[in-house]
Each structure stands twice: as C-alpha cells, then as structure tokens.
C-alpha cells in the first residue's frame, strides 16, 4: 500500500514574510511574497546556474555555454525587472507605500535567495546586510559575529550551492526546513529578523 501524505500547504503558508520594511512615511510595514510559480522557480534556478558557470569559466567557450543557458530561457511574460518578477504583488504594494528603490531591491534579492534556497537562505541574506560572504555562511546575528571575531575565530562559510535536502522543522517558532527552489515552511520570520 502506498503512503498517503497530506497537508502540504501548511508547510508553505503564507509565503515569505518581509517585516519592518520602511515606507515613505517612516512607518514600517510587512509584505508577504507568495510561493514562486513553477516558471519563476525554474527561471531563478537557471539564472543561478548560469551565473555559477560564468564564475567558474576558464575559457570563452565556457562563458558562451552559460550565456546560452540564459538566452534559451523562455520569457515569462515580458522583460520585467528582477524586483517585479520575484516580488509579484508585493512589489506594487511597496511602490504604493513609498518604499525606497534600495529597500525594494534588497527585498527582491532576499526573495531570490528564498526561491533558490528556502527560509534559511533568505534569513542569511536578510540578516547579513547583503554581504555575499556573510550570506552563504550560517545565520548569525551581529553580536555572534563580534563574539567570534574577539575569540579569534571566523564564521564558517560555504562556497557551495544551497542544499536540496529538506530538514525537519524545529517546532520552536523557528523554521528550520530548507531546500532548493523554496522548499520549507514560510512565514514566522518577523520575530527573528531584527536580531
């Protein structure tokens, strides 16, 4: 008899919650980015793979292979910006609320990390201030990083891709499920993102 699994939606609801985003009036708001469509997930993954190939390229032919990957991507709807593409309706809400371009771009980069690597990748990027070396290492708050520096150690960093192995949720209010293309439980980050 085959296993019957149910309730998948509860692990992914409500999507990625971006909290404490300042608008034009100084009021901080919360935005929810829904799960990526299959097309958007594939688009993001292909861009990430092509970018990795370009960074690892040692010949012009290697670079051309990566460029071909991107050129062969079907257009999803139009040549819209990355911000509009990954944030979806949250982008229009941010614009209406007067969120700055820099904050929108940061939210979009966080969402891109979320689509590719799930909650933990998004949290690492969000809490790192967008510093690439910090974003790929373990999620650490500023106090943890300072303590490590004073102790003479540095945070572990990874040069590999996001893992595709899902991890069990901790159930303690933090979401430890992660995986490629946005696997993992969504939301609940507003209480942990200001550390």
């Amino acid at each position: 008899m085959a296993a019957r699994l149910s309730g998948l939606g509860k692990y992914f609801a409500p999507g990625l919650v971006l909290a404490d985003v300042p608008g034009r009036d100084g009021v901080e708001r919360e935005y929810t980015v829904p799960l990526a469509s299959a097309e958007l997930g594939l688009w993001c993954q292909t861009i990430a793979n092509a970018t990795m190939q370009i960074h690892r390229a040692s010949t012009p032919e290697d670079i051309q292979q990566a460029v071909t990957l991107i050129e062969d991507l079907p257009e999803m709807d139009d040549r819209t910006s990355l911000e509009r593409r990954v944030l979806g309706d949250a982008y229009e809400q941010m614009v209406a609320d007067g969120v700055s371009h820099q904050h929108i771009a940061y939210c979009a980069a966080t969402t891109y990390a979320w689509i590719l690597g799930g909650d933990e990748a998004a949290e690492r990027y969000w809490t790192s201030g967008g510093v690439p070396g910090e974003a790929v290492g373990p999620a650490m708050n500023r106090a943890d990083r300072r303590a490590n520096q004073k102790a003479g150690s540095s945070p572990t960093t990874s040069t590999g891709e996001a893992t595709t192995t899902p991890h069990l949720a901790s159930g303690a209010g933090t979401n430890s499920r992660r995986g490629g293309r946005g696997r993992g439980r969504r939301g609940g980050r507003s209480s942990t993102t200001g550390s």
Side-chain angles (χ1 to χ4, degrees):
M1 182 155 104
R4 182 178 183 276
L5 304 174
S6 63
L8 183 61
K10 71 181 176 184
Y11 297 114
F12 292 90
L16 177 64
V17 177
L18 302 169
D20 305 327
V21 178
R24 121 181 82 238
D25 54 6
V27 175
E28 293 181 337
R29 292 179 174 82
E30 186 172 281
Y31 301 92
T32 301
V33 180
L35 292 175
S37 68
E39 293 84 6
L40 178 58
L42 178 60
W43 185 86
C44 290
Q45 189 64 53
T46 302
I47 295 295
N49 290 341
T51 302
M52 187 183 347
Q53 282 185 16
I54 289 170
H55 284 292
R56 293 179 177 172
S58 58
T59 67
E61 292 79 21
D62 292 342
I63 293 174
Q64 186 54 48
Q65 284 179 344
V67 170
T68 301
L69 272 176
I70 295 170
E71 290 174 345
D72 289 346
L73 270 176
E75 282 303 317
M76 292 174 51
D77 50 12
D78 56 46
R79 292 194 172 268
T80 190
S81 69
L82 174 72
E83 292 84 4
R84 283 180 190 252
R85 189 165 281 176
V86 299
L87 292 171
D89 292 341
Y91 175 84
E92 299 302 331
Q93 294 167 3
M94 289 177 176
V95 170
D97 292 337
V99 175
S100 72
H101 169 73
Q102 289 81 0
H103 287 128
I104 291 174
Y106 194 78
C107 289
T110 301
T111 303
Y112 179 76
W114 173 66
I115 291 169
L116 292 173
D119 288 338
E120 289 182 14
E123 185 175 13
R124 281 192 307 265
Y125 188 86
W126 185 267
T127 59
S128 74
V131 179
E134 301 276 334
V136 295
M140 299 178 97
N141 65 30
R142 189 176 299 167
D144 290 341
R145 288 192 298 271
R146 285 189 192 133
N148 279 345
Q149 288 172 349
K150 285 182 183 178
S153 65
S154 61
T156 305
T157 58
S158 166
T159 57
E161 300 171 4
T163 181
T164 57
T165 306
H167 299 277
L168 296 176
S170 68
T174 60
N175 300 319
S176 61
R177 286 183 75 99
R178 69 175 177 183
R181 294 193 191 150
R183 280 189 214 138
R185 192 165 179 193
R186 306 295 179 239
R189 288 293 183 207
S190 62
S191 64
T192 61
T193 54
S195 329

